Amino acid sequence: SEGFISNKTLCTIVMLCASSLPIFQQRDNSGRLSMCSKLCYAIGGAPYQITGSALGFFLQIYLLDVAQLDPFYASIILFVGRAWDAVTDPTVGFLVSRSRWTQCGRMMPWILISTPFAVLTYFLIWYVPPVEQGKVLWYLVFYCLFQSLQTCFHVPYSALTMFISMDQKERDSATAYRMTVEVLGSVVGTAIQGQIVGGAIAPCLPGDLDVLDKAYLIASAVICTMYVLCAAVLFLGVREQEECGRLKTEPMSFFEGVRMVMGYGPYVKLVMGFLFTSLAFMLLEGNFALFITYTLGFRNDFQNILLVIMLSGTLSIPFWQWFLIQFGKKTAVYIGITWAVPFMILIVCIESSLIVAYVVSVAAGVSVAAAFLLPWSMLPDVVDDFKVKNPESSGHEAIFYSFYVFFTKFASGISLGISTLSLDFAGYVTRGCSQPDAVNLTLKVLVSPAPVVLIFLGLFIFKTYPIDEERRQGNRKLLQEMR
């Protein structure tokens, strides 16, 4: 990790240039984060969501209907890719936590160096290789490489929350900005991929596959450009700060870090609660395009329905930020996550209707916004709680964040693998005009009963989460005194 961030010259030049511009001033005279700094920080979260929404909604249908892979091999790619991605998160988190401080911080060099390689591998995921026998290996390799490189971007970016401000309110405000931009990033990713690819779809005509291939490549090129621009704004617009009064502790081993985070009760309860709710929305996300296309029969409208979900989520973020301030974060979790349940049930219980599909999409977007905002808003509270209980230990923020991402990604890999295998067993017909009744029944289960059960399991676990508003405010005062 030392070699990875040893080049201080570039960081120094860039940060000196950026700090000379008024637009990149991080704090105003009152010591609060400026709006510009919050926006620059928030924009840095867009690449993860832009690429994530494109992959989440479209990679499965791309592998099945464009690359024309057998569903079994597609499930292997999706599961192994997500599982590999999950394994790299704690590894990168451990390396980041042991990285040395540079002129531009500990997190920023990882973000800067990983970006160009992540962009290249993402583009190659959406390219159909000319060798028929090597397709499975091609997609598996580049999917895993992209996930690893994106981890080198996203884990340091997530942990950066703890280093843009020492004040809880400022971090919560910056997190709300971030979640708004991230949901907007999901809208952008869904819109770019959906509108470009949707305009090239000619159902059931194999001769038009070349046009569809080019559409996916054009969409990926646009997304790659946005990835680079957002990373540049983050790097130039945010000043990472070293925590004042931080105790210098000896670096711990990887397994000591695992024992530390997994042995801390509030963290485990938070992670396990959101693990099940995240898995519910991942199942919905991964199968919704197929459900709309085949089960509901809205092949020409699926990209617009997905876009409505993301737009609804973007517009709902400010509401949920206001709600959690007024009524507390645990209350926001219960109401926000369960909001989508009746609509998930509705979509599979009534006769296929385009109007109902759009209504359900709007309602689902409101819950998606809560699922985006609340985990990342509550994770800093757990880190603060740990600091209060363990004042002699410091510098482990990246480990907390990386293990949270590890569990959600591993669950996502399992959900995608099981989903695709279930479709294979049900008799999924690649590039078919329609699907057998068994496939349609499987899709109904994957977008409604299964997510609903997972949501209630997650909320049941979350009832034991001990950090309420009183404890959170108490931790805030204690940390101020410690500093």
Side-chain angles (χ1 to χ4, degrees), residues 257-326:
V258 174
R259 286 196 297 270
M260 176 191 72
V261 298
M262 297 312 299
Y264 193 61
Y267 178 77
V268 173
K269 292 171 183 176
L270 180 72
V271 169
M272 294 305 295
F274 280 118
L275 173 65
F276 285 99
T277 57
S278 298
L279 182 54
F281 286 102
M282 289 170 190
L283 273 177
L284 182 65
E285 178 188 63
N287 295 281
F288 205 55
L290 291 171
F291 176 75
I292 294 170
T293 300
Y294 293 114
T295 305
L296 298 184
F298 304 135
R299 183 184 294 269
N300 296 324
D301 296 281
F302 82 92
Q303 69 271 20
N304 297 323
I305 294 174
L306 298 180
L307 186 58
V308 166
I309 294 176
M310 295 295 102
L311 282 172
S312 173
T314 303
L315 296 175
S316 302
I317 287 284
F319 166 77
W320 288 119
Q321 176 64 14
W322 169 85
F323 190 94
L324 67 86
I325 292 173
Q326 296 297 319

Side-chain angles (χ1 to χ4, degrees), residues 153-167:
F153 181 106
H154 191 248
V155 167
Y157 172 75
S158 299
L160 188 62
T161 308
M162 304 301 298
F163 297 98
I164 58 174
S165 175
M166 297 301 111
D167 185 83

Side-chain angles (χ1 to χ4, degrees), residues 105-358:
R106 281 195 299 152
M107 311 297 166
M108 287 297 188
W110 289 80
I111 293 169
L112 176 68
I113 297 174
S114 65
T115 294
F117 301 103
V119 164
L120 176 62
T121 53
Y122 178 81
F123 181 80
L124 293 175
I125 290 173
W126 302 102
Y127 175 74
V128 180
V131 182
E132 187 69 27
Q133 297 299 322
K135 280 184 180 180
V136 174
L137 184 61
W138 174 279
Y139 291 117
L140 183 60
V141 168
F142 284 109
Y143 188 40
C144 289
L145 281 175
F146 171 72
Q147 298 286 17
S148 298
L149 290 163
Q150 192 183 50
T151 296
C152 292
F153 181 106
H154 191 248
V155 167
Y157 172 75
S158 299
L160 188 62
T161 308
M162 304 301 298
F163 297 98
I164 58 174
S165 175
M166 297 301 111
D167 185 83
Q168 282 187 357
K169 288 185 177 180
E170 291 299 295
R171 291 203 305 256
D172 284 348
S173 176
T175 299
Y177 276 79
R178 171 190 166 189
M179 292 301 105
T180 302
V181 173
E182 287 199 5
V183 177
L184 183 60
S186 296
V187 173
V188 172
T190 305
I192 291 173
Q193 196 86 358
Q195 298 303 317
I196 294 176
V197 172
I201 287 179
C204 311
L205 297 177
D208 289 331
L209 274 178
D210 290 339
V211 176
L212 201 54
D213 291 348
K214 292 179 181 177
Y216 273 104
L217 286 176
I218 292 171
S220 65
V222 174
I223 288 175
C224 287
T225 302
M226 299 192 69
Y227 194 117
V228 173
L229 291 175
C230 292
V233 170
L234 172 68
F235 189 79
L236 294 174
V238 175
R239 181 74 61 85
E240 183 180 345
Q241 57 177 309
E242 192 169 13
E243 185 175 357
C244 297
R246 177 188 292 275
L247 296 174
K248 302 300 181 182
T249 57
E250 291 296 322
M252 63 173 57
S253 70
F254 177 80
F255 292 105
E256 287 175 336
V258 174
R259 286 196 297 270
M260 176 191 72
V261 298
M262 297 312 299
Y264 193 61
Y267 178 77
V268 173
K269 292 171 183 176
L270 180 72
V271 169
M272 294 305 295
F274 280 118
L275 173 65
F276 285 99
T277 57
S278 298
L279 182 54
F281 286 102
M282 289 170 190
L283 273 177
L284 182 65
E285 178 188 63
N287 295 281
F288 205 55
L290 291 171
F291 176 75
I292 294 170
T293 300
Y294 293 114
T295 305
L296 298 184
F298 304 135
R299 183 184 294 269
N300 296 324
D301 296 281
F302 82 92
Q303 69 271 20
N304 297 323
I305 294 174
L306 298 180
L307 186 58
V308 166
I309 294 176
M310 295 295 102
L311 282 172
S312 173
T314 303
L315 296 175
S316 302
I317 287 284
F319 166 77
W320 288 119
Q321 176 64 14
W322 169 85
F323 190 94
L324 67 86
I325 292 173
Q326 296 297 319
F327 302 101
K329 296 180 180 181
K330 289 189 71 172
T331 303
V333 168
Y334 294 132
I335 295 177
I337 301 298
T338 56
W339 173 260
V341 170
F343 297 96
M344 288 180 180
I345 298 172
L346 178 67
I347 193 71
V348 299
C349 289
I350 66 170
E351 188 176 351
S352 178
S353 167
L354 187 59
I355 295 176
V356 172
Y358 277 107

Side-chain angles (χ1 to χ4, degrees), residues 245-250 252 260 386-396 482:
R246 177 188 292 275
L247 296 174
K248 302 300 181 182
T249 57
E250 291 296 322
M252 63 173 57
M260 176 191 72
F386 178 84
K387 288 180 179 179
V388 170
K389 299 295 188 298
N390 301 273
E392 75 286 350
S393 183
S394 63
H396 312 312
M482 290 167 60

